[in-house]
Amino acid sequence: MTRRASARRVAEALRKVPRAGFLPAGSRGRSGLDRPLDIGYGQTNSQPRTVRDMLELLDVQPGDHVLDVGAGSGWSTALLAVLTGPAGSVVGTEIVPQLRSWGAGNLAAAGLPWARIEAARPEWLGWPAEAPYDRILVSANATRIPDDLVDQLAEGGRMVIPVGSKMLRLTRLDDGSVRQEDCGPYRFVPLIEPGDRLP
């Protein structure tokens, strides 16, 4: 799929899944602002322009099996579900229990039953029980490329992840190697990695 076609699909998903439904009640009036908004516990609902860019880079296809690491409010999980359609599946993970519960409720209200949010395990990243994934989205800044997530990427699969404040796109090639592309500078809250203390 061309970048233009991917951009059209992402724009349509953003129209179908309004950001306001994934914000705390006191912040919903600011849903149209193109900036990150606080959702508590040191986490944010990402800037819409950044979410758009990441989804375009990820290029989710109908029927894809997708992992959403750091699901937070559930907005990215819902957007991914619109992009996969009911023939696909999306597993979101969130390590902060209060956010996982709230995000799962937001996602349920969006009516996308082929997507769900699981409680992330502190000893690893992702959701290896259902790997490999065609696409992996990570919405928090990692200190390095996580081997845990690379191992969960399918052949031909793609991961978009901020590392050291740069957006990277990783693609697993047919020979098993991984191609890395630098897609420019972005700012995110830190990824809670194995061994880190919860906020």
Side-chain angles (χ1 to χ4, degrees):
M1 180 177 290
T2 66
R3 180 73 186 263
R4 182 176 296 177
S6 178
R8 284 197 298 267
R9 294 188 66 238
V10 169
E12 180 62 21
L14 287 164
R15 282 192 292 271
K16 287 182 176 179
V17 184
R19 185 189 193 196
F22 297 83
L23 292 172
S27 298
R28 289 173 187 164
R30 293 180 285 160
S31 63
L33 297 178
D34 190 31
R35 63 182 181 86
L37 295 173
D38 180 66
I39 57 172
Y41 307 97
Q43 306 302 304
T44 62
N45 179 283
S46 296
Q47 181 178 8
R49 179 173 49 184
T50 299
V51 173
R52 180 200 67 201
D53 290 349
M54 293 181 78
L55 293 176
E56 288 180 12
L57 289 168
L58 200 61
D59 192 24
V60 176
Q61 300 298 303
D64 275 353
H65 182 42
V66 181
L67 173 65
D68 183 23
V69 178
S73 70
W75 190 38
S76 57
T77 313
L79 291 166
L80 290 165
V82 170
L83 292 168
T84 69
S89 59
V90 183
V91 180
T93 63
E94 175 53 55
I95 200 164
V96 180
Q98 298 90 333
L99 289 180
R100 192 215 68 83
S101 178
W102 176 60
N106 294 338
L107 182 62
L112 300 162
W114 56 96
R116 70 187 198 277
I117 299 175
E118 297 283 356
R121 299 288 296 270
E123 61 266 35
W124 67 68
L125 287 170
W127 197 252
E130 295 183 31
Y133 298 94
D134 302 303
R135 298 289 188 269
I136 299 175
L137 180 68
V138 184
S139 298
N141 190 53
T143 57
R144 58 178 176 75
I145 297 171
D147 291 338
D148 285 356
L149 297 180
V150 173
D151 290 346
Q152 293 172 53
L153 196 58
E155 183 177 300
R158 180 177 290 179
M159 175 164 60
V160 172
I161 177 173
V163 178
S165 299
K166 289 184 178 181
M167 191 69 70
L168 301 182
R169 178 167 61 181
L170 308 178
T171 304
R172 185 177 292 284
L173 305 179
D174 293 345
D175 64 2
S177 64
V178 176
R179 182 179 68 221
Q180 177 179 319
E181 302 167 78
D182 183 341
C183 301
Y186 287 81
R187 294 186 64 185
F188 279 86
V189 297
L191 178 66
I192 300 172
E193 302 185 52
D196 290 347
R197 180 176 294 179
L198 290 181

